[in-house]
């Protein structure tokens, strides 16, 4: 059934889709022709022979004549009638028996067979291949990673055991190899020993098997995504250099966004001594002030490089007011961040977080809050058999009654984390309605639903795929710790040669791409220049550290190639 659906899907893509439109147009023409003939048939029969026939009979006669069946049960007896019958039969031969099958074969059958015959999956990479990344298992996370790699022009190959998938990916322009990932000879053919990294994104047992096979051949580093937390240790034993428990990280991330308790700055990225961190404005004494009034740089040395609110990242100026619901993105040293944390010190008197969904992600969020400690209430429609640490309220969160009973009116934060995006959207909308002031953090299982979740009233949306991809990307870049960013990318690029000698203002990086320069790295100087003024001249050998949304990063790549 799956293969049939996949084959049918062929006709909905590219040229075949155009041809399908043509076919529909042609069939409409045939239908009009048949209707016209039946009308004429009835008219002529009445006028020439005085016989009256129903509409259905007219249709029946036309089809029988056009398909050359000619039963002969209804016939004309006049000359003009004979002529009409001949025309109908001849046009039937041309339009129905010649052109239609010919079109079907040349527009659909032939291209389909040709595509089948032409496709030869890659089963080995050229011998001199090196520095490539091998990705085993293609899903939303690795798809997002592939986009990042394409932007940075890092060569990668997706490895799959599924013929259909390899065909699809090839059509999308993604390099793909087909074979059994635990076959040592196949791995040799993929030049695994010369690869830069292996990303294992299969099931836990398959990943383990893959790690062991790779290790029996070479020392290429392996990063693997772990499904079940307990399996991390086994994967490391099998040879994985990084076993990333994505669900746990996501849970923690959701939790840090839902509470301001303690208000520790959440480090997004670091470049040497320079750290990029975010902190909720609500947790600082600066809420409601303008950037000029807050004097954050004077008080702490930190530069405010962005504000992030409801999925929109903006670069503030002195007059920008710091809204309570926003996150500030800051750049500075660890010490400076600690100085800020001193100012923010104050703990919230009463904090209560509701967590909707006690799956692995919800559970990880709960464990994180437990340790802080922040009071929380878990709600799930069924009791969890995996978790012995938490007691959840059993009830369907889509019922306002359950939410009210659990105390949504008093809650400060809400984490929406079921595995169904339409339920998450519904829950976000319903909760926003019940408590307009609550801070809502929602999980998007599919990238496409991020916008809808924001529209439904979420303050932060965290997408599994893009967080997973940033984590993998950080691992590939060799960052010491795993940072999480979502919606904001901090990235480093060598200064494009055509910008040498220009000032930052002249380079027009921000107007062209939307990205802002966070810092400039200079040759032989350890400390980067944080938030350089627009008149700073860009010199040869400098490195740019930029910040922007994923689209803005793509803009930068497009505008400043090479
Ligand atoms: P993950 O492990 O990725 O977090 P799960 O599918 O294990 O994903 O978790 C989703 C959880 O959300 C499940 O425990 C499910 O019972 C719960 N859930 C789904 N819909 C509702 C709902 N309407 N009300 C309460 N809980 C729900
Ligand atoms: Zn739990």
């Amino acid at each position: 059934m799956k293969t049939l659906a996949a084959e049918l899907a062929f006709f909905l893509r590219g040229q075949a889709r155009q041809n399908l439109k043509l076919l529909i147009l042609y069939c409409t023409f045939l239908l009009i022709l048949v209707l016209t003939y039946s009308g004429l048939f009835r008219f002529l029969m009445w006028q020439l022979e005085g016989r009256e026939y129903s509409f259905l009979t007219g249709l029946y006669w036309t089809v029988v004549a056009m398909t050359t069946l000619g039963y002969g049960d209804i016939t004309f007896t006049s000359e003009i009638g004979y002529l009409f019958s001949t025309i109908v039969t001849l046009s039937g031969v041309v339009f129905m028996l010649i052109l239609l099958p010919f079109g079907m074969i040349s527009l659909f059958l032939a291209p389909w067979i040709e595509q089948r015959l032409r496709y030869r999956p890659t089963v080995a990479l050229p011998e001199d291949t090196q520095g490539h990344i091998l990705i085993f298992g293609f899903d939303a996370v690795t798809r997002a990673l592939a986009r990042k790699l394409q932007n940075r022009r890092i060569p990668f190959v997706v490895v799959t055991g599924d013929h259909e998938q390899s065909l699809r990916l090839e059509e999308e322009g993604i390099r793909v190899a087909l074979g059994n990932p635990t076959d040592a000879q196949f791995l040799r053919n993929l030049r695994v020993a010369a690869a830069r990294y292996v990303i294992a994104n299969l099931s836990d047992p398959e990943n383990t098997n893959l790690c062991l096979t790779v290790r029996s051949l070479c020392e290429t580093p392996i990063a693997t995504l772990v499904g079940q937390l307990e399996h991390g240790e086994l994967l490391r034993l099998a040879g994985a250099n990084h076993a990333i428990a994505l669900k746990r990280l996501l849970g923690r991330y959701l939790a840090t966004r839902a509470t301001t308790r303690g208000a520790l700055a959440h480090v997004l990225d670091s470049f040497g001594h320079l750290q990029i961190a975010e902190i909720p404005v609500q947790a600082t004494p600066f809420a409601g002030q303008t950037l000029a009034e807050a004097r954050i740089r004077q008080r702490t040395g930190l530069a405010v490089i962005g504000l992030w609110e409801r999925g929109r990242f903006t670069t503030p100026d002195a007059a920008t007011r710091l809204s309570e619901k926003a996150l500030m993105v800051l750049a500075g040293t660890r010490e400076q961040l600690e100085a800020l944390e001193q100012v923010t010190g104050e703990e919230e008197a009463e904090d209560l977080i509701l967590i909707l969904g006690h799956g692995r992600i919800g559970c990880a969020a709960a464990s994180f809050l437990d340790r802080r400690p922040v009071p929380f209430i878990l709600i799930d429609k069924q009791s969890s058999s995996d978790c012995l640490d938490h007691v959840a309220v059993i009830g369907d969160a889509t019922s306002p009654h359950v939410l009210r009973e659990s105390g949504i009116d008093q809650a400060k934060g809400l984490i929406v984390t079921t595995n169904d995006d339409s339920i998450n959207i519904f829950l976000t909308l319903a909760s926003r309605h019940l408590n307009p002031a609550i801070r809502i953090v929602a999980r998007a299982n599919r990238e496409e639903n991020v916008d809808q979740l924001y529209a439904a009233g979420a303050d932060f949306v965290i997408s599994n795929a893009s967080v997973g991809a940033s984590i993998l990307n950080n691992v590939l870049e060799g960052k010491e710790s795993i940072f999480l960013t979502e919606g904001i990318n901090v990235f480093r690029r060598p200064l494009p040669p055509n910008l040498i000698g220009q000032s930052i203002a002249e380079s027009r990086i921000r107007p062209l791409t939307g990205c802002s320069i966070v810092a400039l790295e200079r040759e032989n100087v350890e400390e980067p220049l944080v938030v350089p003024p627009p008149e700073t001249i860009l010199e040869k050998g400098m490195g740019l550290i930029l910040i922007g949304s994923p689209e803005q990063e793509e803009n930068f790549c497009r505008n400043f190639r090479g």
Side-chain angles (χ1 to χ4, degrees), residues 147-161:
R147 273 194 39 196
K148 278 181 189 281
L149 296 176
Q150 274 170 338
N151 278 338
R152 289 167 48 211
R153 301 189 161 188
I154 296 178
F156 66 93
V157 180
V158 174
V159 187
T160 170

Side-chain angles (χ1 to χ4, degrees), residues 322-345:
L322 300 169
S323 126
E324 219 176 55
K325 285 261 174 125
L327 277 181
M328 267 193 288
V329 184
L330 304 154
T333 62
R334 183 67 242 156
E335 294 73 38
Q336 290 168 339
L337 283 171
E338 274 163 15
L340 175 69
E341 282 165 10
Q342 297 300 317
V343 193
T344 54

